[in-house]
Amino acid sequence: HRRAQGRGKKGGPAVTRPPRIALFGGTFDPIHSGHLRSAAVVGRRFGLDRILFVPSNIPPHKARRDMAPARDRMAMVELALRGRPRFAASPIEIRAGGTSYSIRTLRRLRRLHPRARIFFIVGTDAFLEIKTWKEWRSVLDESLFIVMTRPGVGLAKARRAPGAEYADRVRPVGRTERVREDWFSASRIFLFPIDALDVSATEIRGRIREGRPLAGLVSAAVARYIRARKLYL
Ligand code: ATP
């Protein structure tokens, strides 16, 4: 049932549903096991055909002076995703340059995949700020949201974040519930409880500065890249 397209069981007519493409945006400074693990769980449960990891060029919210250069963040995402066929690193925001706004990325993606269902994967921390996103109403109208809980940030708060007028679009997804195609026309914002790893890029950068080990927090290839490029020192 996970195939977007293909022959029916007996070689009959192709069974088709719109492809499900998700956009997972972030600074990825650096990409870590929390991103990978949660994307894998979300991808399985929502039957996503492809998850695009999109490092922002200049994030509107989180620009820091000590942010690693965009091409390094991009290279680390590529390294971390190697050998994972449903995950892809997308340079769409870095190539566009300037400040990265989700609405622009979303519209570009829509032009590239006119038939697809386009999802946004965000952690609750990011979703709580939804009203500060450029053209946030359009972002919500033009995509489906999968909001993952992170430790310490509750779903109840996330539910209220876009305001009362969006309440009927929100659907909490049970821990074992199977996501169904017909949900997507009625509900547009899915609250998805996830046992997120208690790991953040901030913590990882701190560890690097202090010379502490990164084992299990980033992939071996990413750890090597960070050392070779002397990032976050
Ligand atoms: P920083 O510590 O620098 O703020 P971060 O670890 O939150 O970074 P981002 O690149 O800002 O990483 O996150 C991109 C997206 O991934 C956001 O939607 C965020 O909520 C989500 N995310 C980050 N860490 C985790 C985690 N451990 N589990 C689940 N989702 C996560």
Side-chain angles (χ1 to χ4, degrees), residues 24-25 27-28 32 35 62 123 125 150 196-197 199-202 205:
F24 189 18
T27 40
F28 298 116
H32 54 68
H35 299 129
K62 292 212 299 195
D125 56 330
R150 286 185 83 178
L197 293 185
V199 40
S200 68
T202 305
R205 295 190 301 270

Side-chain angles (χ1 to χ4, degrees), residues 24-39 54-56 62 64 73 121-127 133 146 148-151 194-205:
F24 189 18
T27 40
F28 298 116
D29 192 24
I31 185 168
H32 54 68
S33 50
H35 299 129
L36 296 170
R37 170 97 62 94
S38 52
V54 187
S56 51
K62 292 212 299 195
R64 303 187 332 269
R73 291 183 287 111
I121 301 176
V122 292
T124 30
D125 56 330
F127 191 69
W133 293 22
I146 302 170
M148 313 175 289
T149 42
R150 286 185 83 178
I194 199 166
D195 297 316
L197 293 185
D198 195 5
V199 40
S200 68
T202 305
E203 186 206 335
I204 290 166
R205 295 190 301 270

